[in-house]
Amino acid sequence: MRLSATTAPDFVLADVDRQFTLDPYPVYRLLRDHAPMCRQPDGSWLVTRYADVREALGNAQIFSSDKHIDFKPRFGDSPLYEHHTTSIVFNDAPYHARVRRLLAPFFAARVLREMEHSIGAMVDKLLDRAAQQGTIDIVEEFALVIPLNLIGDLLGVPYSERQPLRAWARAILGALEPVCTPAALDLGNAAVVEFKTYLRQLIARKRAHPPGADNLDVLWALVRAHDQDAELSELEILHNAIFMLNAGHDTTGSLIANGVDLLLDHPEQMQRLRDEPGLMKSAIEEMLRVESPLQIGNRRALCDTELGGEKIAAGSFLHLVIASANRDERQFPAAENFDVARSPNKHLAFAHGIHTCAGNSVARIEAVIAFSKLLQRFPRMRRVAAVDRAERTRFRVVERLLVELEP
Ligand code: HEM
């Protein structure tokens, strides 16, 4: 795809090629400069500037997250439709607020502090194994293992039963790509069915042996909201649990894998981080900004409105390109540079407004511990092969990243 200043308004998100999925950033830059509110053939809008993306994310009164209308043509009457229209993230008030309130206690500062120890112990174990192997796939043997186990703990999924979670997440989230093949739909629908069956069995076991007061988990909290207060239906429990398990590990795995890739591409920044470990938190924010794990969010206008100088008709669908907003030169000086000391850094990687990622503190803690220990333990880290990326537009996924680690 050759896009120029004059052809930028003709860009079609549903028509992108492999080159775009591997490196969408030059195209997003052209769009920001020459077609920041890019009308798509189906009438939707592709929004690429920071100010516009932030404004839409921040105004849930006008820009709805509810996907009941938008997902009908894509998913029909299917398990994927049921899932994606029942989870917290794709709903508005009052249902959204009800689920958010049930989740809040699990993200309190005290709970997060308690997690630090177990994350540290898990990372140490993974790095012990890496030291023995010498060369590892950062994705499979590090980046994904940490969040998968953490989210498994958080939802009370037994350790030995976590193996299928990753494939289910990939299949269910993969169906959200701007273009979805019939095969991907089949895979996604089968994953929802299997996931629900598994969770129903797990809930039955929890009901038979309820977790103790000092051992509460998110799934049990949702079940109690159903059993005691009739706050949630059975389907609402299942789909919010599925969403949490998926959202909690895929994106965080991407943050860690993309972060390693960025450090390998910028050895001077990696050295700076080793010399000044106090920069770790700002380095993680910079990784989130430069390679945002969730690249595109969507909203629907509830009434006639304006955005980015355009008139937006009620019912219009918007693609909010977080990945582009986070590289907008109007907001971030030298936006294309990866700078571990960047400050301020008000990126939108966790969105903004009422749907701001509920797990953002968890993801941040996981990444800080993972990178601190990785850099401390291995003074030398070398790429063994070029990074292998999934051809995805909505999520920034690393498939494989082989790295040699030297103590
Ligand atoms: C680097 C890792 C992560 C990134 C980049 C990320 C990104 C996001 C974004 C952008 C949203 C809002 C989507 C929208 O409004 O369209 C979101 C929502 C959400 N995320 Fe995350 N997330 C991450 C990790 C996590 C983790 C670890 C958890 C759970 C432990 C989690 C749980 C949630 C939940 C529950 C929501 C729905 C919030 C709501 O609708 O109010 N996320 N995430």
Side-chain angles (χ1 to χ4, degrees):
M1 180 197 330
R2 285 259 164 84
L3 209 66
S4 66
T6 36
T7 58
D10 303 330
F11 174 78
V12 178
L13 184 65
D15 259 359
V16 296
D17 58 13
R18 181 176 158 76
Q19 191 189 334
F20 174 87
T21 55
L22 298 183
D23 181 15
Y25 303 113
V27 169
Y28 287 148
R29 182 177 194 148
L30 271 172
L31 289 171
R32 282 195 303 277
D33 289 345
H34 304 288
M37 296 287 300
C38 185
R39 200 74 198 267
Q40 299 294 289
D42 64 359
S44 63
W45 294 90
L46 189 71
V47 186
T48 46
R49 282 194 184 163
Y50 181 92
D52 303 330
V53 172
R54 191 170 193 280
E55 184 181 336
L57 289 173
N59 192 342
Q61 306 293 325
I62 294 183
F63 297 105
S64 163
S65 287
D66 188 312
K67 299 290 184 291
H68 283 85
I69 297 174
D70 309 296
F71 284 167
K72 200 70 193 184
R74 164 181 288 242
F75 296 136
D77 196 6
S78 68
L80 276 169
Y81 183 77
E82 182 187 276
H83 170 65
H84 286 304
T85 53
T86 311
S87 76
I88 174 175
V89 74
F90 293 144
N91 274 283
D92 296 335
Y95 172 66
H96 166 264
R98 190 153 35 101
V99 180
R100 185 105 192 182
R101 189 169 40 73
L102 289 169
L103 298 181
F106 293 90
F107 300 108
R110 181 185 51 78
V111 181
L112 299 178
R113 270 197 305 279
E114 283 167 11
M115 278 179 194
E116 285 182 23
H117 178 72
S118 64
I119 299 171
M122 187 194 337
V123 172
D124 283 338
K125 225 191 262 175
L126 294 173
L127 294 180
D128 285 345
R129 205 184 305 153
Q132 282 172 359
Q133 289 176 225
T135 297
I136 64 162
D137 175 8
I138 283 287
V139 179
E140 288 292 333
E141 294 169 276
F142 190 65
L144 274 170
V145 187
I146 303 165
L148 190 61
N149 283 315
L150 189 100
I151 200 70
D153 286 348
L154 204 63
L155 271 100
V157 174
Y159 185 78
S160 60
E161 296 169 16
R162 294 175 189 173
Q163 196 262 337
L165 297 182
R166 185 175 169 218
W168 285 338
R170 281 290 167 90
I172 294 169
L173 297 176
L176 294 174
E177 284 296 312
V179 178
C180 186
T181 62
L185 280 178
D186 289 348
L187 214 62
N189 279 317
V192 175
V193 172
E194 286 172 30
F195 215 147
K196 278 170 66 181
T197 305
Y198 168 71
L199 285 178
R200 281 197 170 107
Q201 290 167 1
L202 180 60
I203 291 170
R205 279 186 271 150
K206 281 185 194 288
R207 283 201 172 111
H209 303 284
D214 53 351
N215 202 16
L216 293 180
D217 59 62
V218 173
L219 183 56
W220 187 238
L222 298 178
V223 172
R224 281 199 316 184
H226 169 271
D227 292 357
Q228 295 176 359
D229 310 318
E231 271 198 277
L232 290 181
S233 69
E234 196 221 11
L235 282 180
E236 289 168 350
I237 300 175
L238 296 175
H239 291 302
N240 281 298
I242 290 175
F243 172 73
M244 287 279 289
L245 284 161
N246 292 347
H249 84 268
D250 208 49
T251 42
T252 313
S254 294
L255 162 61
I256 299 173
N258 279 306
V260 172
D261 191 47
L262 280 166
L263 291 177
L264 291 168
D265 272 352
H266 299 85
E268 75 300 340
Q269 294 295 316
M270 176 145 60
Q271 193 52 50
R272 180 154 186 210
L273 203 46
R274 289 185 191 282
D275 296 341
E276 300 174 61
L279 289 177
M280 188 53 80
K281 282 190 178 162
S282 72
I284 302 300
E285 298 309 307
E286 185 67 343
M287 292 168 187
L288 285 160
R289 183 187 74 84
V290 173
E291 291 284 17
S292 305
L294 179 69
Q295 302 245 302
I296 302 177
N298 294 105
R299 296 292 187 268
R300 170 176 290 274
L302 291 174
C303 55
D304 289 348
T305 186
E306 274 193 19
L307 188 69
E310 297 285 351
K311 288 199 177 340
I312 308 292
S316 298
F317 192 62
L318 295 108
H319 310 274
L320 305 176
V321 189
I322 290 172
S324 169
N326 283 343
R327 290 184 179 222
D328 189 343
E329 307 72 13
R330 294 154 196 82
Q331 173 67 20
F332 302 99
E336 295 296 330
N337 293 356
F338 174 63
D339 174 3
V340 294
R342 183 181 292 275
S343 176
N345 188 352
K346 291 191 161 184
H347 64 74
L348 302 173
F350 290 119
H352 168 65
I354 65 163
H355 287 279
T356 297
C357 175
N360 73 82
S361 312
V362 178
R364 285 174 159 128
I365 291 173
E366 289 179 76
V368 165
I369 297 175
F371 279 98
S372 302
K373 286 185 180 281
L374 180 68
L375 294 190
Q376 237 168 42
R377 180 90 179 250
F378 298 102
R380 274 173 300 278
M381 197 159 65
R382 201 176 63 79
R383 193 191 289 285
V384 173
V387 64
D388 184 5
R389 288 193 174 279
E391 286 187 43
R392 294 213 175 179
T393 305
R394 190 177 167 87
F395 294 96
R396 188 77 175 146
V397 178
V398 178
E399 290 284 16
R400 195 170 156 82
L401 177 53
L402 280 184
V403 169
E404 190 179 68
L405 300 165
E406 282 181 47

